[in-house]
Amino acid sequence: MKFFDTSNLRGDITGGLTAGIVALPLALAFGEASGAGPIAGLWGAIIVGFFAALFGGTNTQITGPTGPMVVVFAGVFASLSGNPAYVFAAVVLAGLIQILFGVLKLGQYIRLVPYPVISGFMSGIGVIIILLQTARLFGHEPAGGGTIPAITAIPGAVMDPNFSALIIGLVTLGVIFFWPKSIGKFVPGALAALIIGTLLSFAIPGAPILGDIPTGLPEFMIPSFSGDTFIIVLEAAIILALLGAIDSLLTSLVADNMTRTRHHSERELIGQGIGNAIAGFFGAIPGAGATMRTVVNIRSGGGTRISGMIHSLILVAVVVVLAPLASQIPHAVLAGILVKVGYDIIDVSYLKNAHKGPRWDLVLMAVVLGVTVFIDLIQAVALGVFLAALGFVKQLADEQLQNFAKAEPRVTTDEEREILDRAKGRILLFEFGGPLSFGAAADLGHQVRERSKSLAQAIILDFSSVPFMDVSAARAVETIACDAGKSNKIVYVTGMSDKIAQILNGLDADHCLPADTKYEDRLDALREAIRVIEDSAPKSSDGEITAAE
C-alpha cells in the first residue's frame, strides 16, 4: 500500500478544506477553555492534526483538540499554575506514553472498556464542559478550573449578567443548534455561529473579547519539571495518554464503519503520540481523534491521510493571515459553541433508552458519570472498569449456577441409563459446562453438598466440558471431595483434561481424590461406582439392592 495515495486527491482536498473550516472555531474555543489561549488551540489542531495524519493508522481521521482532552488539560493547567514548562512537559510525556502504547500493542486492550463506562465518562465530560461555560455565557469567568468552582460561579453570574454577552451567547446557541442541515453542508453551523456572534458584538458592544492573539510560528520551549511537580506531571501525562488513546481509537472505529476499512490501532497510537509530543514542544494543547471532524472529512470526500494534513495546512493559513480578526471574537461566542460540543458529547440516545436495557448497565453509567463530574476522570474510568468486570463475573457466575441447578446430566448411552436406574439414587452424576471461576466456586460446593445429602453413596464429577478453572474453583473441587470422603461417599472424577489435572495437582487440590477414582471415560466411572455400591450393599431375597434406612 502506498504511504501517500494520490488517487483521491480531489476528494482529499475538499475533505481537508471542509474539516479545516469546521475545526477553526472549535480549536479557538478549546484553546480558550484550556487556559493556554486560543492560539494554543489552533496550533494544537495544526501540529497534532498534521503528524497524526502523517504517521497514524486511520487514513481518514482528523485529529485535534477534543472536549475530553481539553477538560483534563485545563485541570493540569490550573494545578500547575499555568507554568508552561511544567504544563507542556505533561503533554510531551503523554505523547511518549502513547507511542509506548503503540509499540507494546496495547490498543486492543484499550478498546475493551465497556460501553456503559465510555458512555458515562463521555457524558460526564460533556456535563463538565457545559458547567465550565455557563458562567461565560453570562459574561463572567468561573472561579477556578474545577467543576465545583464552576457550579458555585453560576448563581452569581445569573444574578449579575453582562447583557451584551448573554444576548450574543444566546444567539450563538440558537444558530449552532438550529442551523439548517442543507446550508450546513456548505457552511458548518459552528463557523456560522462564530461569524454571526462576532458580527453581532459590533452592534451590541460590551461583551468581553479574546483580545490580542499572537501571530506567526510558535516558539520552541523546553519542558521541565521539579521534584514537587513530578507526580502531578506524570499523573496528568498518563490521564492524557489514556484518554487520547481511547478517544482516538473510538473515532477510528467510527471511520471504519463509514469507509468499510480497518484501521491499524498500534500505528494510530504511535501517530497520535508523535503529534502530541511535538505539540508539547511548541506550547500547543494536546489532541485526539475528533469524531465530528472525521465524519465531515469523510462525507466531504476525504479518503487518505492527505486530507488530514491539508486540514492542518488550512489552519496554518488562518493563523498567519486571520489571527488579528480572531482577536475580536467574544468569549460568549466560544462559550456557546462549547456548550453545543458538550451537549453532543453527552450520550443522549443511550440515556433516552437506558431504562429498556439492563439495569446494572444504567447504574454503572450513572456512577461513572457522577465520579467523572465531581471527583476525578481517571478514577471514574478505573472504578467503571472494575465495577463492569465485577458485574460481568457475577452475571457469569449466576448463569453457571442457574444452569447447573436446572440441568440434568446428559445420559448418552443406554448403559449409562441402566446403571443410574439400578443405583436408585445412590449415584449422583454432576456434569459441569464451561469455565469454572471464582464467582461460582463457593455456591458450587454448596449445591453439590445439598444435592448429595440423601441416599447418595457415590458422586461422579464430569469435567469433560470444562476448558479452564481458576484457583477458587480448584479449591471448591477439593472441598467437595474431602467433605464427601468424611461422609463416607466416594468421589469419582472423569473427563479431566491435562490442563485441569495440572491445576488440581499443582495446587494439591486432588489429595482427596485417589488415583483409582479418576477416569477418562464417564461410563467407566459409572461401572466402577455401581460395582462398589452393589458389592457393599445388603441384598434382598431376589437380589435387588435394598433401600437404606
Side-chain angles (χ1 to χ4, degrees), residues 435-455:
L436 296 179
S437 66
F438 64 91
D443 286 339
L444 198 65
H446 173 73
Q447 288 205 27
V448 172
R449 284 193 300 272
E450 287 298 310
R451 291 169 62 178
S452 59
K453 278 183 177 179
S454 55
L455 301 176

Side-chain angles (χ1 to χ4, degrees), residues 478-525:
E478 176 187 17
T479 301
I480 291 170
C482 293
D483 285 354
K486 292 176 184 178
S487 302
N488 296 318
K489 296 179 176 66
I490 305 173
V491 176
Y492 299 91
V493 294
T494 179
M496 280 199 303
S497 65
D498 292 340
K499 187 175 183 178
I500 300 297
Q502 288 174 3
I503 292 173
L504 291 173
N505 183 259
L507 296 171
D508 194 30
D510 59 352
H511 62 90
C512 290
L513 295 170
D516 60 358
T517 62
K518 299 175 183 177
Y519 293 85
E520 291 186 9
D521 186 78
R522 187 170 74 180
L523 184 57
D524 291 336

Side-chain angles (χ1 to χ4, degrees), residues 25 50 101 152 187 212 217 227 232 247 334 345 414 428 435 460 540:
F50 185 86
F101 285 167
T152 57
V187 181
D212 292 337
L217 299 176
I232 298 176
D247 212 355
L334 298 182
I345 293 175
D414 292 339
L428 289 181
I460 297 178
S540 63

Side-chain angles (χ1 to χ4, degrees), residues 12 30 49 60 67 93 100 105 123 149 208 227 296-297 347 368 388 407 453 475 478 491 531 541 544:
D12 289 334
F30 285 136
T60 54
L93 187 55
L100 185 62
K105 301 184 182 301
S123 297
V296 167
N297 176 45
D347 196 350
V368 174
K453 278 183 177 179
R475 291 303 179 198
E478 176 187 17
V491 176
R531 184 191 67 78
S541 58
E544 290 291 325

